[in-house]
Amino acid sequence: MTGPSAFARGTFTWALGIEDTCVHPPARFAMAPLDEHALTGHDRAWRSDLDAVRDLGATALRYGVDWPRVHLGPGRFDWSELDERLPHAAAGGVTVIADLVHYGTPTWLDDSFADPRYPAVVAEFAEAFARRYAGVVDHVTPLNEPITTASFAGLRGVWPPGLTGWDGWTRVVLGIVDGIQRTVRAVRAANPQAVIVHVEASTLVRPVDGGTAVVAEAALLELLGTVPTDLVLGRVTAEHPAHDWLLDHGATPTALRALVEGAVAVDLLGVNYYPDLTPRQLTVEDGRVVQHAHDRWTAGLVEALRRFDDRYGIPMVVTETSIEGDDDRRSAWVADAADAVRGLVADGVDLRGFTWWPLFDFVDWSYAAGGRNVEEFVLPADVVADRAASDRKTPYLRRMGLVRLEEAADGTLDRVPTPAAERFRERATAEVGAARTP
């Protein structure tokens, strides 16, 4: 059951997340299913994985509920797996934050986020979920990272519905936001005790060479990084700096007015930040603007959190952070990120939790695309080549977890705790009581 002090004012919650990207494409789409619960062996090892959350001292868990697998058709659901897993996850006072949509939709929703049925369908699922699991799972994230979803599904055509360009981005964003607003209303109607945790990725972009195209692209990306959340909260009125840009890229005045009128409030603002992935530098290469990930360590984390705090003033939770690398590097990030958060709380920022995501390593998203780089930023050529040349998971494993995945000869993935897991446990278990600080 949900603990009464989880994320409450004056408390601090240590949380973990299990990577749950769940994109099941329609048969016509040129990619394999990208289902992290299946790829990482969580479907097989879910009991021990969920037990590890408590063993590491976390009192909250972000957990995906596999919407594409559960929602079989209009009004039809298969709750059998969740009926086992969610009570187990919530045992012992762990607060489960249900991740309702994590980049994918049911395959019968032909055009995914761009399907005109999408907002009503996702609200139907949200209402049914909230009603069924009230008292077991009372914290709900309507959709993980709208800005990332729009990039992969609407701007660059990587995931369904496979739209491209800024018109595609706008179409996906408008569908997503309508769905979020309807989801929030549906969840609250079904479970008045529900806590809405809106989760968004940080956007930190800097031009490097100062050229006109680079500066303009950086400014646009910075502007659009807040647009989905602004739309959810009903802030994109005619005076908003992105209002006319959205109209230029396919939005209608009627659609934008409807989102202003349908504004919803959220209880917690989840902020996702990765020191080596989130900050981007823009350069011009071969006549086009490209992004390069740029490690800013804790400086980027502090900047991202302060930006969200200044803009929205909503209680925050770090809902995703980790770093890829060896054991020492991950252990260092546990300590340094927690210390950075400590400083913000001491300065009066209403920051109520810290989530290491993922608990264990995961399979890179390029796996479903045959090794092709699907990221917004440039990857080293040797990494792309190694992945594309292998039929095993090992080259695709992202070493970002507190628990390392090791591929056995039969393809199964063993769980091996790292020293970073112990560092996390030490910090989490040292802070007990109703008024914990990070």
Side-chain angles (χ1 to χ4, degrees), residues 327-401:
D327 293 343
D328 289 344
R329 184 168 172 80
R330 280 177 284 181
S331 294
W333 183 244
V334 171
D336 289 357
D339 287 345
V341 168
R342 181 193 297 276
L344 289 171
V345 173
D347 285 346
V349 176
D350 191 356
L351 186 54
R352 302 185 184 185
F354 177 95
T355 309
W356 186 281
W357 179 294
L359 166 60
F360 46 82
D361 298 337
F362 68 99
V363 177
D364 188 81
W365 296 341
S366 64
Y367 185 82
R372 175 174 61 91
N373 178 27
V374 298
E375 298 288 357
E376 297 170 310
F377 50 87
V378 176
L379 286 177
D382 60 335
V383 172
V384 176
D386 287 347
R387 290 173 177 169
S390 176
D391 60 357
R392 292 179 62 78
K393 291 178 183 175
T394 296
Y396 291 90
L397 289 173
R398 301 294 300 273
R399 301 303 185 185
M400 298 167 69

Side-chain angles (χ1 to χ4, degrees), residues 254-272:
T254 299
L256 294 181
R257 280 197 301 273
L259 295 179
V260 172
E261 293 168 0
V264 294
V266 301
D267 301 298
L268 294 169
L269 178 59
V271 178
N272 295 353

Side-chain angles (χ1 to χ4, degrees), residues 205-276:
V205 182
R206 292 180 177 176
V208 173
D209 63 15
T212 302
V214 173
V215 172
E217 181 79 1
L220 177 62
L221 293 175
E222 287 277 351
L223 170 64
L224 297 183
T226 60
V227 163
T229 300
D230 285 355
L231 286 166
V232 168
L233 300 176
R235 294 187 174 195
V236 183
T237 61
E239 294 74 31
H240 192 282
H243 181 273
D244 291 349
W245 184 94
L246 290 168
L247 293 178
D248 289 343
H249 291 282
T252 65
T254 299
L256 294 181
R257 280 197 301 273
L259 295 179
V260 172
E261 293 168 0
V264 294
V266 301
D267 301 298
L268 294 169
L269 178 59
V271 178
N272 295 353
Y273 172 85
Y274 297 91
D276 54 338

Side-chain angles (χ1 to χ4, degrees), residues 3 69 74 121 151-152 186 206 234 262 273 296 305 325 379 384 392 403:
R69 297 199 288 186
V121 167
S151 173
F152 277 77
R206 292 180 177 176
Y273 172 85
R296 292 185 56 203
L305 290 167
L379 286 177
V384 176
R392 292 179 62 78
V403 175

Side-chain angles (χ1 to χ4, degrees), residues 279-348:
R280 308 285 173 81
Q281 292 182 332
L282 302 190
T283 63
V284 174
E285 298 177 14
D286 298 325
R288 65 187 184 94
V289 178
V290 299
Q291 300 184 29
H292 293 269
H294 171 58
D295 190 346
R296 292 185 56 203
W297 206 246
T298 56
L301 175 62
V302 170
E303 180 179 349
L305 290 167
R306 286 201 177 277
R307 283 190 186 187
F308 276 105
D309 185 48
D310 291 343
R311 188 174 188 88
Y312 299 112
I314 298 171
M316 293 186 296
V317 178
V318 177
T319 39
E320 289 184 25
T321 194
S322 66
I323 194 165
E324 191 164 16
D326 61 21
D327 293 343
D328 289 344
R329 184 168 172 80
R330 280 177 284 181
S331 294
W333 183 244
V334 171
D336 289 357
D339 287 345
V341 168
R342 181 193 297 276
L344 289 171
V345 173
D347 285 346

Side-chain angles (χ1 to χ4, degrees), residues 64-65 69 163 176 180 247 315 358 368 395:
V65 297
R69 297 199 288 186
L163 303 183
I176 282 173
I180 291 174
L247 293 178

